């Protein structure tokens, strides 16, 4: 039944009913704690509805079992930013840069975090690297 709950959650979101979506997505994750798509969708919903803190542990746990899941990494970085854990968010993008050094987006996101941290020289370097990798 977790798959049906997941689909119902998606339908609720399409109908602009985030509260109902949250309930059934939580049920899907409770029934199947390894249900990646449900965990990610619920985390995105929590982030959008101001409940970012609720998304931290499920995303961290998901990444313990699937460390290279890029979507979860980026979402966790967004969650970390939302809860004020800027160093942790920056660390995720540094890991992505180490894995994929040609990924201009990772440099952009890192630069944005560095701006929030008032590290303007580092932010400029990150943005310069992004332009170097993707000049258009």
């Amino acid at each position: 039944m977790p798959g049906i709950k997941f689909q119902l959650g998606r339908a609720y979101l399409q109908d602009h009913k985030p509260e109902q979506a949250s309930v059934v997505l939580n049920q899907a994750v409770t029934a199947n704690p390894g249900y990646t798509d449900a965990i990610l969708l619920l985390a995105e919903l929590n982030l959008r509805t101001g409940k970012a803190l609720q998304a931290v542990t499920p995303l961290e746990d998901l990444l313990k079992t699937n460390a290279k899941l890029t979507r979860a990494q980026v979402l966790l970085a967004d969650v970390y930013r939302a809860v004020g854990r800027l160093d942790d968010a920056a660390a995720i993008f540094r890991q992505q840069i180490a894995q994929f050094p040609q990924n201009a987006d990772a440099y952009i996101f890192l630069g944005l975090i560095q701006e929030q941290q008032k590290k303007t020289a580092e932010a400029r370097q990150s943005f310069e690297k992004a332009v170097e990798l993707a000049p258009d």
Side-chain angles (χ1 to χ4, degrees), residues 21-91:
S22 180
V23 169
V24 295
L25 289 170
N26 270 306
Q27 291 170 349
V29 171
T30 299
N32 181 357
Y35 195 165
T36 300
D37 289 335
I39 293 167
L40 292 172
L41 187 57
L42 182 58
E44 288 171 357
L45 177 59
N46 285 333
L47 180 61
R48 285 186 298 202
T49 57
K51 301 174 187 170
L53 197 56
Q54 293 179 17
V56 172
T57 300
L59 288 172
E60 288 175 341
D61 290 346
L62 178 60
L63 286 167
K64 287 177 188 170
T65 60
N66 193 348
K68 295 187 180 200
L69 190 60
T70 304
R71 182 175 166 207
Q73 291 173 349
V74 172
L75 184 53
L76 182 58
D78 286 341
V79 167
Y80 281 157
R81 284 178 65 191
V83 299
R85 292 176 57 180
L86 298 178
D87 289 337
D88 292 326

